[in-house]
Amino acid sequence: MKYFYSSQYPVEIVLSENINKKFSSHSHAGHYIISLCIKGSVAATLENKSLQLKENGFFVVPPFMPHQADITDNSILASLCIGKSFVSNYHPKEGTRILKMILESSKIQKQITKFQTERLIRVVPHVYRLHNTYNKEMENDMLILYERLASGFPDSLPLDSLAQDLYISKYHLIRKCKKNLGLTPHKFYLQNRIRQAQALLLADKSVSRVSADMGFYDQSHFNKAFKNITGISPAEYIASSTTLRL
């Protein structure tokens, strides 16, 4: 796995390679994802629809859409992750120009070909169209739930109490959460903690410090949760992350 982060924009590029991992169903609250098969083939599922990507095939995932991917040692998947704020703040022409500049940086061009770069860029207008049409309207109780899960609440908070606060049953809460956020409340909360942990690790915090800051009861539990979601350990993540300065 290799992670490349722009120092100026909410954009990152993830290269999934040399890994035999089935990423279980997950979602991204803050990003649009364009995933391109660089080598081999990748099996993917988007909202219960199965795909088999061959070389240079791609799929696009808007925020909150549940998806999963099966990556083997013989396949490579490049994912361009574009922050929702980026799509909102830059009009299509300017946004495409910036993304092209990022993808054409020397560190990225060592990983993908010019043809693959152009293929990713050609999909960017579709992301803008999705942004204009896919904006998911969540009911007020789900917005409250999302804010609580995103900001983090103690593991000790019973799901029954949360459902009671929202005036719905626990089982209805779970169903609505899966429909709106793509995951159960617990899985979404855990996923969000790991996303926050990634940012803290990039800020040069130690693995043990991040584990404690994110509320894991020991580092072993943190390592297991982190690897289950990202496919690699926190230490491997630090070693595989690169900041792009344009």
Side-chain angles (χ1 to χ4, degrees):
M1 297 287 289
K2 294 179 181 177
Y3 294 82
F4 299 88
Y5 293 89
S6 169
S7 61
Q8 297 165 263
Y9 307 100
V11 175
E12 58 192 75
I13 299 163
V14 181
L15 206 66
S16 302
E17 62 175 351
N18 301 322
I19 185 171
N20 192 5
K21 167 75 174 175
K22 183 172 183 177
F23 290 93
S24 59
S25 184
H26 62 285
S27 63
H28 301 270
H31 289 83
Y32 289 87
I33 313 294
I34 305 173
S35 288
L36 177 70
C37 182
I38 300 297
K39 177 184 175 184
S41 63
V42 174
T45 303
L46 277 68
E47 284 194 323
N48 299 318
K49 296 179 181 178
S50 298
L51 303 173
Q52 187 68 41
L53 294 187
K54 295 183 178 180
E55 191 168 315
N56 295 322
F58 68 89
F59 60 82
V60 179
V61 183
F64 300 118
M65 177 181 282
H67 59 285
Q68 59 188 59
D70 189 0
I71 302 172
T72 67
D73 292 332
N74 298 318
S75 57
I76 301 177
L77 187 71
S79 296
L80 175 60
C81 309
I82 309 168
K84 288 194 297 185
S85 60
F86 181 92
V87 183
S88 297
N89 293 336
Y90 296 95
H91 59 75
K93 185 175 180 180
E94 178 66 4
T96 300
R97 184 191 69 79
I98 293 170
L99 292 170
K100 188 172 188 292
M101 183 172 59
I102 292 172
L103 288 169
E104 289 180 344
S105 63
S106 59
K107 291 178 180 178
I108 301 301
Q109 287 299 293
K110 290 179 181 178
Q111 311 296 328
I112 62 177
T113 67
K114 288 186 177 180
F115 173 80
Q116 290 160 345
T117 299
E118 289 301 320
R119 192 153 178 79
L120 285 168
I121 289 299
R122 284 200 295 270
V123 185
V124 171
H126 179 61
V127 169
Y128 275 91
R129 288 193 293 272
L130 271 178
H131 188 66
N132 292 330
T133 60
Y134 186 80
N135 286 328
K136 208 165 191 178
E137 293 283 339
M138 282 192 281
E139 297 174 37
N140 188 57
D141 55 357
M142 288 297 101
L143 285 172
I144 294 172
L145 176 63
Y146 167 67
E147 290 171 359
R148 291 197 185 185
L149 294 174
S151 61
F153 61 84
D155 281 334
S156 58
L157 179 64
L159 197 57
D160 293 288
S161 297
L162 184 58
Q164 188 175 3
D165 289 345
L166 299 175
Y167 302 102
I168 57 178
S169 73
K170 179 176 70 173
Y171 302 106
H172 190 43
L173 171 66
I174 293 172
R175 286 195 298 271
K176 289 190 71 172
C177 186
K178 288 186 71 174
K179 179 182 178 181
N180 285 271
L181 304 182
L183 299 170
T184 64
H186 174 73
K187 287 185 177 179
F188 185 84
Y189 174 53
L190 180 60
Q191 174 185 273
N192 189 68
R193 281 203 294 172
I194 296 302
R195 304 283 187 231
Q196 293 176 357
Q198 288 177 275
L200 292 175
L201 290 170
L202 289 179
D204 294 329
K205 286 196 174 185
S206 68
V207 175
S208 59
R209 175 67 182 275
V210 172
S211 173
D213 287 349
M214 297 313 301
F216 289 89
Y217 55 80
D218 60 36
Q219 191 170 320
S220 175
H221 180 215
F222 173 58
N223 289 348
K224 183 178 179 180
F226 193 98
K227 189 168 186 178
N228 183 56
I229 290 175
T230 66
I232 56 178
S233 70
E236 290 171 326
Y237 172 74
I238 294 171
S240 65
S241 298
T242 301
T243 299
L244 302 173
R245 294 181 173 84
L246 305 179

